[in-house]
Amino acid sequence: VFVIPEINCLKQRMSHYDHLLLATLLPLFLIIIISVFIITPLDALARSKWCTWYNQQHSYEALAIIIVFLFYSSASRTIAVTFVCQDLGDHSYLRADLDMKCSGSKYQLWFIYSLFMCVIWPLGTPILFFMLCWRERKRLHPYDFSKRTKHISRKEKEEIVSRAATVRRFDPKIHGIKVLWIPYEPEFWYWESVETVKRMMLTFIAQIFRPGTSTQVIYCLAVVIGFLRLQVYMNPYTEDQDDILAEGLLWMLLIFYMEVLMSQLAIVQGSSIDYLLCSTLILAIIGS
């Protein structure tokens, strides 16, 4: 979602390892800074009754979730390319930075650091999101009801889902993780972690799965098709238009990867494929 911008005056001096540090540690640094200098003073004002507009939604938990959500894709991709090397002559170099060799003590140190950050970012984030919701699952899904139950009418199902959504909306205990569950129906309280797994598969894993080859594109196509079928079957969003939008964006991704595959296999060449790719990207931006 959020890509760390490159500063022109620093671009020539920043190696891939500098970008790696920035992508993985900057979000954590922001969480600490905002917590210390903004949220903590607001907590003190709220306790002293001077700050009447502050409430429990301005919590450390909500702040951490939002920042991690924004930086997740960028951090995951930057970590992934640390493992991708390219042979040039007698040596192997980082594909993301051809000035860096994939050998020696320096690379081994950054390799270990990237492995550690894999646990924190690509793998740890979906697990974190799931656990935060799982511990409050009874509040997030108060009636333990599935809309695929067959013995009641569609209208009754919609009424039960609406009541459950109202109950959780006014529950102050789960406001801190509201960003994780608010778009989804109560029975799909875990769906943000599913969406994060999709992002991990299309950013982190895709970067290390035979990069630059048609095999990588076929892998991305398989991931998109799988999540498209899952989206159509589950329809997890509270609003029907959100389900339609999510399905439409997956179709856009599917068409985009098919066009990339056609380009790599030389089925369509020249300006035609450029036109198709640009058209798909423009439609995806408009749809989003």
Side-chain angles (χ1 to χ4, degrees), residues 136-168:
E136 303 289 356
R137 63 193 182 282
K138 292 183 179 179
R139 292 179 180 274
L140 295 174
H141 191 199
Y143 297 142
D144 195 23
F145 167 79
S146 174
K147 65 180 180 182
R148 286 182 292 277
T149 302
K150 297 181 179 179
H151 65 275
I152 60 176
S153 67
R154 179 183 177 87
K155 184 178 180 180
E156 289 176 316
K157 292 177 184 179
E158 291 176 351
E159 289 176 352
I160 294 174
V161 170
S162 178
R163 288 202 306 270
T166 302
V167 168
R168 66 176 186 170

mmCIF file of all heavy atoms in Angstrom, residues 136-168:
data_model
loop_
_atom_site.group_PDB
_atom_site.id
_atom_site.type_symbol
_atom_site.label_atom_id
_atom_site.label_comp_id
_atom_site.label_asym_id
_atom_site.label_seq_id
_atom_site.Cartn_x
_atom_site.Cartn_y
_atom_site.Cartn_z
ATOM 1 N N GLU A 136 -10.678 -11.918 20.477
ATOM 2 C CA GLU A 136 -11.947 -11.210 20.667
ATOM 3 C C GLU A 136 -13.041 -11.787 19.764
ATOM 4 O O GLU A 136 -14.031 -11.121 19.492
ATOM 5 C CB GLU A 136 -11.775 -9.719 20.350
ATOM 6 C CG GLU A 136 -10.718 -9.001 21.153
ATOM 7 C CD GLU A 136 -11.113 -8.815 22.612
ATOM 8 O OE1 GLU A 136 -12.250 -9.180 22.978
ATOM 9 O OE2 GLU A 136 -10.267 -8.306 23.388
ATOM 10 N N ARG A 137 -12.865 -13.023 19.330
ATOM 11 C CA ARG A 137 -13.780 -13.599 18.344
ATOM 12 C C ARG A 137 -15.226 -13.668 18.833
ATOM 13 O O ARG A 137 -16.170 -13.538 18.045
ATOM 14 C CB ARG A 137 -13.295 -14.986 17.918
ATOM 15 C CG ARG A 137 -13.266 -16.022 19.048
ATOM 16 C CD ARG A 137 -12.483 -17.256 18.616
ATOM 17 N NE ARG A 137 -12.464 -18.280 19.653
ATOM 18 C CZ ARG A 137 -11.684 -18.256 20.725
ATOM 19 N NH1 ARG A 137 -10.851 -17.239 20.899
ATOM 20 N NH2 ARG A 137 -11.732 -19.225 21.620
ATOM 21 N N LYS A 138 -15.443 -13.863 20.140
ATOM 22 C CA LYS A 138 -16.812 -13.933 20.659
ATOM 23 C C LYS A 138 -17.490 -12.571 20.636
ATOM 24 O O LYS A 138 -18.713 -12.483 20.507
ATOM 25 C CB LYS A 138 -16.796 -14.496 22.081
ATOM 26 C CG LYS A 138 -16.374 -15.965 22.132
ATOM 27 C CD LYS A 138 -16.428 -16.513 23.543
ATOM 28 C CE LYS A 138 -16.023 -17.977 23.556
ATOM 29 N NZ LYS A 138 -16.041 -18.535 24.945
ATOM 30 N N ARG A 139 -16.715 -11.520 20.751
ATOM 31 C CA ARG A 139 -17.274 -10.173 20.636
ATOM 32 C C ARG A 139 -17.477 -9.791 19.168
ATOM 33 O O ARG A 139 -18.432 -9.090 18.827
ATOM 34 C CB ARG A 139 -16.350 -9.156 21.310
ATOM 35 C CG ARG A 139 -16.265 -9.293 22.833
ATOM 36 C CD ARG A 139 -15.315 -8.255 23.407
ATOM 37 N NE ARG A 139 -15.219 -8.353 24.844
ATOM 38 C CZ ARG A 139 -16.050 -7.767 25.708
ATOM 39 N NH1 ARG A 139 -17.045 -7.030 25.256
ATOM 40 N NH2 ARG A 139 -15.890 -7.907 27.011
ATOM 41 N N LEU A 140 -16.562 -10.248 18.314
ATOM 42 C CA LEU A 140 -16.660 -9.921 16.898
ATOM 43 C C LEU A 140 -17.757 -10.714 16.196
ATOM 44 O O LEU A 140 -18.327 -10.249 15.201
ATOM 45 C CB LEU A 140 -15.318 -10.193 16.210
ATOM 46 C CG LEU A 140 -14.149 -9.319 16.657
ATOM 47 C CD1 LEU A 140 -12.855 -9.793 16.013
ATOM 48 C CD2 LEU A 140 -14.398 -7.859 16.316
ATOM 49 N N HIS A 141 -18.036 -11.895 16.713
ATOM 50 C CA HIS A 141 -19.075 -12.748 16.130
ATOM 51 C C HIS A 141 -20.024 -13.199 17.246
ATOM 52 O O HIS A 141 -20.045 -14.356 17.638
ATOM 53 C CB HIS A 141 -18.423 -13.952 15.447
ATOM 54 C CG HIS A 141 -19.355 -14.739 14.596
ATOM 55 N ND1 HIS A 141 -19.091 -16.033 14.211
ATOM 56 C CD2 HIS A 141 -20.572 -14.432 14.062
ATOM 57 C CE1 HIS A 141 -20.085 -16.478 13.474
ATOM 58 N NE2 HIS A 141 -20.989 -15.533 13.377
ATOM 59 N N PRO A 142 -20.831 -12.267 17.765
ATOM 60 C CA PRO A 142 -21.585 -12.520 19.002
ATOM 61 C C PRO A 142 -22.624 -13.623 18.911
ATOM 62 O O PRO A 142 -22.922 -14.276 19.918
ATOM 63 C CB PRO A 142 -22.246 -11.163 19.284
ATOM 64 C CG PRO A 142 -22.268 -10.450 17.983
ATOM 65 C CD PRO A 142 -21.045 -10.906 17.250
ATOM 66 N N TYR A 143 -23.208 -13.871 17.739
ATOM 67 C CA TYR A 143 -24.274 -14.878 17.625
ATOM 68 C C TYR A 143 -23.793 -16.202 17.053
ATOM 69 O O TYR A 143 -24.589 -17.136 16.911
ATOM 70 C CB TYR A 143 -25.420 -14.330 16.761
ATOM 71 C CG TYR A 143 -26.086 -13.114 17.356
ATOM 72 C CD1 TYR A 143 -26.517 -12.072 16.543
ATOM 73 C CD2 TYR A 143 -26.270 -12.992 18.732
ATOM 74 C CE1 TYR A 143 -27.109 -10.937 17.085
ATOM 75 C CE2 TYR A 143 -26.858 -11.872 19.284
ATOM 76 C CZ TYR A 143 -27.277 -10.850 18.453
ATOM 77 O OH TYR A 143 -27.866 -9.739 19.001
ATOM 78 N N ASP A 144 -22.509 -16.284 16.708
ATOM 79 C CA ASP A 144 -21.933 -17.527 16.189
ATOM 80 C C ASP A 144 -22.809 -18.102 15.075
ATOM 81 O O ASP A 144 -23.180 -19.282 15.078
ATOM 82 C CB ASP A 144 -21.761 -18.550 17.317
ATOM 83 C CG ASP A 144 -20.834 -19.686 16.893
ATOM 84 O OD1 ASP A 144 -20.033 -19.464 15.970
ATOM 85 O OD2 ASP A 144 -20.931 -20.784 17.468
ATOM 86 N N PHE A 145 -23.108 -17.260 14.106
ATOM 87 C CA PHE A 145 -24.064 -17.607 13.055
ATOM 88 C C PHE A 145 -23.383 -17.557 11.695
ATOM 89 O O PHE A 145 -22.565 -16.683 11.423
ATOM 90 C CB PHE A 145 -25.240 -16.616 13.082
ATOM 91 C CG PHE A 145 -26.132 -16.675 11.878
ATOM 92 C CD1 PHE A 145 -27.087 -17.673 11.766
ATOM 93 C CD2 PHE A 145 -25.999 -15.752 10.850
ATOM 94 C CE1 PHE A 145 -27.903 -17.744 10.654
ATOM 95 C CE2 PHE A 145 -26.811 -15.814 9.733
ATOM 96 C CZ PHE A 145 -27.772 -16.810 9.637
ATOM 97 N N SER A 146 -23.733 -18.520 10.810
ATOM 98 C CA SER A 146 -23.211 -18.541 9.452
ATOM 99 C C SER A 146 -24.328 -18.232 8.466
ATOM 100 O O SER A 146 -25.427 -18.792 8.563
ATOM 101 C CB SER A 146 -22.600 -19.907 9.126
ATOM 102 O OG SER A 146 -22.228 -19.966 7.766
ATOM 103 N N LYS A 147 -24.052 -17.357 7.510
ATOM 104 C CA LYS A 147 -25.079 -16.984 6.538
ATOM 105 C C LYS A 147 -25.363 -18.118 5.553
ATOM 106 O O LYS A 147 -26.314 -18.042 4.779
ATOM 107 C CB LYS A 147 -24.660 -15.727 5.784
ATOM 108 C CG LYS A 147 -23.432 -15.867 4.904
ATOM 109 C CD LYS A 147 -23.113 -14.558 4.208
ATOM 110 C CE LYS A 147 -21.891 -14.662 3.307
ATOM 111 N NZ LYS A 147 -21.564 -13.373 2.665
ATOM 112 N N ARG A 148 -24.534 -19.182 5.570
ATOM 113 C CA ARG A 148 -24.789 -20.323 4.702
ATOM 114 C C ARG A 148 -25.699 -21.354 5.343
ATOM 115 O O ARG A 148 -25.910 -22.434 4.785
ATOM 116 C CB ARG A 148 -23.458 -20.960 4.288
ATOM 117 C CG ARG A 148 -22.699 -20.140 3.262
ATOM 118 C CD ARG A 148 -21.413 -20.801 2.838
ATOM 119 N NE ARG A 148 -20.454 -20.818 3.935
ATOM 120 C CZ ARG A 148 -19.671 -19.803 4.249
ATOM 121 N NH1 ARG A 148 -19.755 -18.680 3.573
ATOM 122 N NH2 ARG A 148 -18.824 -19.883 5.246
ATOM 123 N N THR A 149 -26.230 -21.055 6.540
ATOM 124 C CA THR A 149 -27.208 -21.932 7.176
ATOM 125 C C THR A 149 -28.447 -22.045 6.289
ATOM 126 O O THR A 149 -28.976 -21.042 5.819
ATOM 127 C CB THR A 149 -27.609 -21.377 8.555
ATOM 128 O OG1 THR A 149 -26.431 -21.239 9.362
ATOM 129 C CG2 THR A 149 -28.582 -22.318 9.251
ATOM 130 N N LYS A 150 -28.939 -23.249 6.059
ATOM 131 C CA LYS A 150 -29.980 -23.467 5.060
ATOM 132 C C LYS A 150 -31.406 -23.499 5.611
ATOM 133 O O LYS A 150 -32.361 -23.378 4.853
ATOM 134 C CB LYS A 150 -29.711 -24.783 4.316
ATOM 135 C CG LYS A 150 -28.403 -24.783 3.539
ATOM 136 C CD LYS A 150 -28.196 -26.092 2.805
ATOM 137 C CE LYS A 150 -26.887 -26.067 2.009
ATOM 138 N NZ LYS A 150 -26.659 -27.352 1.293
ATOM 139 N N HIS A 151 -31.596 -23.657 6.915
ATOM 140 C CA HIS A 151 -32.940 -23.873 7.429
ATOM 141 C C HIS A 151 -33.698 -22.580 7.742
ATOM 142 O O HIS A 151 -34.822 -22.642 8.231
ATOM 143 C CB HIS A 151 -32.886 -24.746 8.687
ATOM 144 C CG HIS A 151 -32.172 -24.095 9.849
ATOM 145 N ND1 HIS A 151 -30.813 -24.168 9.990
ATOM 146 C CD2 HIS A 151 -32.636 -23.362 10.892
ATOM 147 C CE1 HIS A 151 -30.465 -23.516 11.079
ATOM 148 N NE2 HIS A 151 -31.538 -23.009 11.640
ATOM 149 N N ILE A 152 -33.111 -21.400 7.468
ATOM 150 C CA ILE A 152 -33.815 -20.139 7.673
ATOM 151 C C ILE A 152 -33.774 -19.322 6.382
ATOM 152 O O ILE A 152 -32.940 -19.557 5.507
ATOM 153 C CB ILE A 152 -33.223 -19.318 8.838
ATOM 154 C CG1 ILE A 152 -31.759 -18.985 8.574
ATOM 155 C CG2 ILE A 152 -33.381 -20.060 10.153
ATOM 156 C CD1 ILE A 152 -31.155 -18.099 9.635
ATOM 157 N N SER A 153 -34.674 -18.372 6.274
ATOM 158 C CA SER A 153 -34.797 -17.587 5.046
ATOM 159 C C SER A 153 -33.657 -16.573 4.909
ATOM 160 O O SER A 153 -32.972 -16.250 5.878
ATOM 161 C CB SER A 153 -36.135 -16.857 5.028
ATOM 162 O OG SER A 153 -36.168 -15.864 6.043
ATOM 163 N N ARG A 154 -33.517 -16.051 3.692
ATOM 164 C CA ARG A 154 -32.490 -15.049 3.415
ATOM 165 C C ARG A 154 -32.724 -13.790 4.239
ATOM 166 O O ARG A 154 -31.772 -13.187 4.752
ATOM 167 C CB ARG A 154 -32.504 -14.713 1.922
ATOM 168 C CG ARG A 154 -31.495 -13.650 1.516
ATOM 169 C CD ARG A 154 -31.612 -13.321 0.038
ATOM 170 N NE ARG A 154 -30.696 -12.255 -0.327
ATOM 171 C CZ ARG A 154 -29.438 -12.420 -0.686
ATOM 172 N NH1 ARG A 154 -28.931 -13.638 -0.725
ATOM 173 N NH2 ARG A 154 -28.672 -11.397 -1.008
ATOM 174 N N LYS A 155 -33.991 -13.402 4.391
ATOM 175 C CA LYS A 155 -34.313 -12.198 5.155
ATOM 176 C C LYS A 155 -33.914 -12.351 6.617
ATOM 177 O O LYS A 155 -33.356 -11.432 7.228
ATOM 178 C CB LYS A 155 -35.801 -11.886 5.043
ATOM 179 C CG LYS A 155 -36.203 -10.595 5.737
ATOM 180 C CD LYS A 155 -37.687 -10.301 5.549
ATOM 181 C CE LYS A 155 -38.065 -8.984 6.252
ATOM 182 N NZ LYS A 155 -39.505 -8.680 6.083
ATOM 183 N N GLU A 156 -34.180 -13.523 7.182
ATOM 184 C CA GLU A 156 -33.798 -13.777 8.581
ATOM 185 C C GLU A 156 -32.280 -13.764 8.747
ATOM 186 O O GLU A 156 -31.763 -13.259 9.746
ATOM 187 C CB GLU A 156 -34.369 -15.122 9.036
ATOM 188 C CG GLU A 156 -35.877 -15.126 9.224
ATOM 189 C CD GLU A 156 -36.392 -16.503 9.583
ATOM 190 O OE1 GLU A 156 -35.943 -17.483 8.947
ATOM 191 O OE2 GLU A 156 -37.244 -16.614 10.490
ATOM 192 N N LYS A 157 -31.587 -14.305 7.756
ATOM 193 C CA LYS A 157 -30.126 -14.287 7.811
ATOM 194 C C LYS A 157 -29.599 -12.852 7.826
ATOM 195 O O LYS A 157 -28.719 -12.512 8.614
ATOM 196 C CB LYS A 157 -29.544 -15.030 6.607
ATOM 197 C CG LYS A 157 -29.791 -16.527 6.589
ATOM 198 C CD LYS A 157 -29.223 -17.149 5.321
ATOM 199 C CE LYS A 157 -29.542 -18.627 5.246
ATOM 200 N NZ LYS A 157 -29.026 -19.248 3.999
ATOM 201 N N GLU A 158 -30.155 -12.014 6.962
ATOM 202 C CA GLU A 158 -29.718 -10.629 6.880
ATOM 203 C C GLU A 158 -29.999 -9.882 8.178
ATOM 204 O O GLU A 158 -29.192 -9.054 8.612
ATOM 205 C CB GLU A 158 -30.411 -9.936 5.709
ATOM 206 C CG GLU A 158 -29.941 -10.434 4.348
ATOM 207 C CD GLU A 158 -30.712 -9.794 3.212
ATOM 208 O OE1 GLU A 158 -31.724 -9.107 3.497
ATOM 209 O OE2 GLU A 158 -30.311 -9.974 2.036
ATOM 210 N N GLU A 159 -31.134 -10.188 8.826
ATOM 211 C CA GLU A 159 -31.463 -9.541 10.097
ATOM 212 C C GLU A 159 -30.490 -9.943 11.193
ATOM 213 O O GLU A 159 -30.053 -9.105 11.996
ATOM 214 C CB GLU A 159 -32.894 -9.894 10.498
ATOM 215 C CG GLU A 159 -33.961 -9.238 9.622
ATOM 216 C CD GLU A 159 -35.359 -9.680 9.999
ATOM 217 O OE1 GLU A 159 -35.487 -10.607 10.837
ATOM 218 O OE2 GLU A 159 -36.322 -9.110 9.455
ATOM 219 N N ILE A 160 -30.133 -11.229 11.239
ATOM 220 C CA ILE A 160 -29.197 -11.706 12.269
ATOM 221 C C ILE A 160 -27.817 -11.081 12.050
ATOM 222 O O ILE A 160 -27.170 -10.626 13.001
ATOM 223 C CB ILE A 160 -29.103 -13.245 12.244
ATOM 224 C CG1 ILE A 160 -30.444 -13.859 12.655
ATOM 225 C CG2 ILE A 160 -27.999 -13.729 13.186
ATOM 226 C CD1 ILE A 160 -30.497 -15.363 12.519
ATOM 227 N N VAL A 161 -27.359 -11.051 10.799
ATOM 228 C CA VAL A 161 -26.057 -10.449 10.483
ATOM 229 C C VAL A 161 -26.059 -8.970 10.855
ATOM 230 O O VAL A 161 -25.084 -8.456 11.417
ATOM 231 C CB VAL A 161 -25.726 -10.647 8.992
ATOM 232 C CG1 VAL A 161 -24.499 -9.824 8.604
ATOM 233 C CG2 VAL A 161 -25.478 -12.113 8.676
ATOM 234 N N SER A 162 -27.179 -8.280 10.570
ATOM 235 C CA SER A 162 -27.273 -6.850 10.889
ATOM 236 C C SER A 162 -27.230 -6.614 12.396
ATOM 237 O O SER A 162 -26.558 -5.690 12.867
ATOM 238 C CB SER A 162 -28.565 -6.285 10.301
ATOM 239 O OG SER A 162 -28.708 -4.927 10.625
ATOM 240 N N ARG A 163 -27.942 -7.450 13.171
ATOM 241 C CA ARG A 163 -27.924 -7.303 14.638
ATOM 242 C C ARG A 163 -26.527 -7.560 15.192
ATOM 243 O O ARG A 163 -26.061 -6.837 16.078
ATOM 244 C CB ARG A 163 -28.926 -8.260 15.278
ATOM 245 C CG ARG A 163 -30.382 -7.879 15.067
ATOM 246 C CD ARG A 163 -31.272 -8.505 16.137
ATOM 247 N NE ARG A 163 -31.102 -9.947 16.219
ATOM 248 C CZ ARG A 163 -31.811 -10.829 15.509
ATOM 249 N NH1 ARG A 163 -32.729 -10.388 14.653
ATOM 250 N NH2 ARG A 163 -31.616 -12.114 15.652
ATOM 251 N N ALA A 164 -25.865 -8.585 14.670
ATOM 252 C CA ALA A 164 -24.512 -8.904 15.149
ATOM 253 C C ALA A 164 -23.548 -7.763 14.825
ATOM 254 O O ALA A 164 -22.702 -7.401 15.653
ATOM 255 C CB ALA A 164 -24.031 -10.201 14.504
ATOM 256 N N ALA A 165 -23.679 -7.177 13.631
ATOM 257 C CA ALA A 165 -22.813 -6.068 13.250
ATOM 258 C C ALA A 165 -23.041 -4.855 14.148
ATOM 259 O O ALA A 165 -22.104 -4.148 14.517
ATOM 260 C CB ALA A 165 -23.058 -5.694 11.785
ATOM 261 N N THR A 166 -24.302 -4.625 14.531
ATOM 262 C CA THR A 166 -24.624 -3.504 15.423
ATOM 263 C C THR A 166 -24.038 -3.722 16.811
ATOM 264 O O THR A 166 -23.485 -2.797 17.424
ATOM 265 C CB THR A 166 -26.148 -3.326 15.519
ATOM 266 O OG1 THR A 166 -26.679 -3.101 14.214
ATOM 267 C CG2 THR A 166 -26.495 -2.146 16.425
ATOM 268 N N VAL A 167 -24.130 -4.947 17.314
ATOM 269 C CA VAL A 167 -23.600 -5.272 18.646
ATOM 270 C C VAL A 167 -22.105 -5.005 18.711
ATOM 271 O O VAL A 167 -21.603 -4.376 19.648
ATOM 272 C CB VAL A 167 -23.905 -6.746 19.006
ATOM 273 C CG1 VAL A 167 -23.120 -7.164 20.247
ATOM 274 C CG2 VAL A 167 -25.400 -6.933 19.250
ATOM 275 N N ARG A 168 -21.379 -5.483 17.732
ATOM 276 C CA ARG A 168 -19.919 -5.316 17.780
ATOM 277 C C ARG A 168 -19.504 -3.866 17.526
ATOM 278 O O ARG A 168 -18.483 -3.413 18.027
ATOM 279 C CB ARG A 168 -19.237 -6.247 16.771
ATOM 280 C CG ARG A 168 -19.526 -5.925 15.331
ATOM 281 C CD ARG A 168 -18.775 -6.803 14.373
ATOM 282 N NE ARG A 168 -18.973 -6.365 12.991
ATOM 283 C CZ ARG A 168 -18.291 -6.833 11.962
ATOM 284 N NH1 ARG A 168 -17.363 -7.753 12.142
ATOM 285 N NH2 ARG A 168 -18.536 -6.385 10.742
#
